[in-house]
Amino acid sequence: MPGSNCTQATEFILSGFTEAPAAQVAQFLLFLLTYLVTILGNLGMIVLIRVSPLLHSPMYYFLGNLAFVNLCTSTIITPRMLAGVLLGKKRITYAGCVAQVFSFDLFGMAECFLLAAMAYDRYVAVCHPLLYALVMSPGRCSRLVAGSYLLGLASGVGQTIGMSRLFFCGSSTIDLFFCDIAPLISLSTSDTTLSLNILRTTSSLLCVPSILVVLVSYVAIISTILRISSAEGKRKAFSTCASHLTTVSTFYGSLLFMYLIPRSETSRGADKWVAVLYTVVTPMLNPLIYSLRNQEVKEAWRRL
């Protein structure tokens, strides 16, 4: 418990990456370019899906929402990080930190379930193509997307409640470039049992089922593809899943490394760059992956 002469922190310091001026300039230019590509790529994907009749299908409906989530996630993190690198604004208010935890968790968890819904969509398309139109009806797709956002909202509210019960003495330094619930729990000087329980419960009830849906779907997809006799049929079946599989591997791989693998003092330095992967790089890569690997998207761009 906090001592009687300890006051609640009103702000936090985000440590960032480095204090070397030359390195900061290089980082600013790199992250600025990444953010601009992220904005243009995801906005372009959203507009293309809406205006192109070729892309009016369940898979691209999910992809449009994924692009929106990536746009929001990047905007929550990157502008603040750019200001810290360029202007040295490493301090963030307590209220700002709470808002960042809530927003990041909302869209991060929504992305987990959107990726699971996209895996289920690919499972139905490959394993039960004759039932695809019936199973993936517009109403069901809308419910899957709405459920993803609602579960993300529930996760964000839960983490915010957990953070509101944490107590921090004085000004605390977060060894990261944004406010995340895990390092905040480790910084707290109060009893963190409730916050840890909320974090673990959220991971167990929300993250694990979405990962299982993806794994089970792709086990069934791969099993079905292996039973296809012709090489051309196998290639076409796999090409419908390649883009999503690449996105899933990048996103879940970095999350598992960041939150589930036990940390050591020597490995914590790599945490920032792993966090960069799923907060900055992945939102930029997703529209590029689908644009470069998907023939329908390339054809829609060509017609547009």
Side-chain angles (χ1 to χ4, degrees):
M1 297 296 292
S4 58
N5 59 345
C6 181
T7 57
Q8 171 74 314
T10 58
E11 63 181 16
F12 297 94
I13 299 174
L14 302 174
S15 64
F17 295 93
T18 180
E19 298 293 336
Q24 285 185 332
V25 172
Q27 287 173 4
F28 175 81
L29 294 176
L30 178 62
F31 290 138
L32 177 62
L33 178 61
T34 302
Y35 183 58
L36 292 176
V37 174
T38 301
I39 296 297
L40 293 175
N42 285 289
L43 279 178
M45 186 63 70
I46 293 171
V47 172
L48 182 68
I49 290 171
R50 289 190 63 87
V51 302
S52 176
L54 279 176
L55 305 182
H56 290 174
S57 66
M59 182 176 74
Y60 296 106
Y61 175 66
F62 293 129
L63 180 57
N65 282 276
L66 180 65
F68 171 74
V69 167
N70 287 159
L71 194 64
C72 294
T73 301
S74 184
T75 302
I76 291 166
I77 302 298
T78 311
R80 175 77 204 186
M81 180 173 60
L82 291 173
V85 174
L86 182 66
L87 305 176
K89 291 184 177 180
K90 296 187 176 183
R91 295 181 180 272
I92 183 171
T93 63
Y94 180 85
C97 197
V98 171
Q100 200 171 60
V101 167
F102 169 78
S103 303
F104 179 72
D105 208 65
L106 188 161
F107 290 110
M109 194 58 66
E111 183 169 359
C112 287
F113 281 95
L114 283 174
L115 290 174
M118 293 173 74
Y120 177 70
D121 172 76
R122 292 299 83 203
Y123 158 75
V124 178
V126 174
C127 301
H128 304 284
L130 298 179
L131 299 176
Y132 183 76
L134 177 64
V135 175
M136 301 307 296
S137 63
R140 177 165 295 177
C141 293
S142 299
R143 289 192 292 272
L144 286 172
V145 170
S148 298
Y149 288 120
L150 287 175
L151 289 169
L153 178 63
S155 177
V157 170
Q159 300 301 351
T160 303
I161 293 174
M163 183 177 171
S164 68
R165 298 183 62 86
L166 297 177
F167 196 91
F168 304 91
C169 281
S171 179
S172 301
T173 299
I174 303 173
D175 191 21
L176 205 59
F177 54 90
F178 70 101
C179 287
D180 193 16
I181 188 63
L184 284 168
I185 290 175
S186 65
L187 282 177
S188 176
T189 56
S190 60
D191 184 7
T192 60
T193 303
L194 177 61
S195 299
L196 284 172
N197 287 337
I198 291 175
L199 182 60
R200 290 165 182 165
T201 302
T202 301
S203 301
S204 301
L205 296 181
L206 299 181
C207 290
V208 173
S210 66
I211 294 175
L212 288 177
V213 168
V214 173
L215 290 176
V216 172
S217 297
Y218 273 102
V219 168
I221 288 170
I222 292 172
S223 177
T224 301
I225 291 176
L226 292 177
R227 291 199 299 267
I228 298 175
S229 56
S230 67
E232 180 65 16
K234 290 181 179 179
R235 187 193 65 80
K236 287 183 178 180
F238 183 75
S239 66
T240 64
C241 308
S243 299
H244 179 256
L245 188 58
T246 304
T247 300
V248 165
S249 301
T250 305
F251 181 75
Y252 281 119
S254 57
L255 282 185
L256 290 174
F257 180 87
M258 188 72 180
Y259 294 106
L260 295 184
I261 294 179
R263 321 310 301 147
S264 65
E265 291 301 322
T266 56
S267 67
R268 292 187 185 277
D271 288 356
K272 293 180 184 179
W273 297 106
V274 176
V276 167
L277 181 62
Y278 69 82
T279 60
V280 179
V281 177
T282 299
M284 176 193 70
L285 288 180
N286 286 345
L288 298 179
I289 290 171
Y290 278 92
S291 296
L292 295 175
R293 297 188 60 91
N294 194 294
Q295 293 297 327
E296 290 178 328
V297 173
K298 288 192 284 188
E299 177 64 17
W301 278 118
R302 188 188 65 79
R303 292 189 181 186
L304 185 64

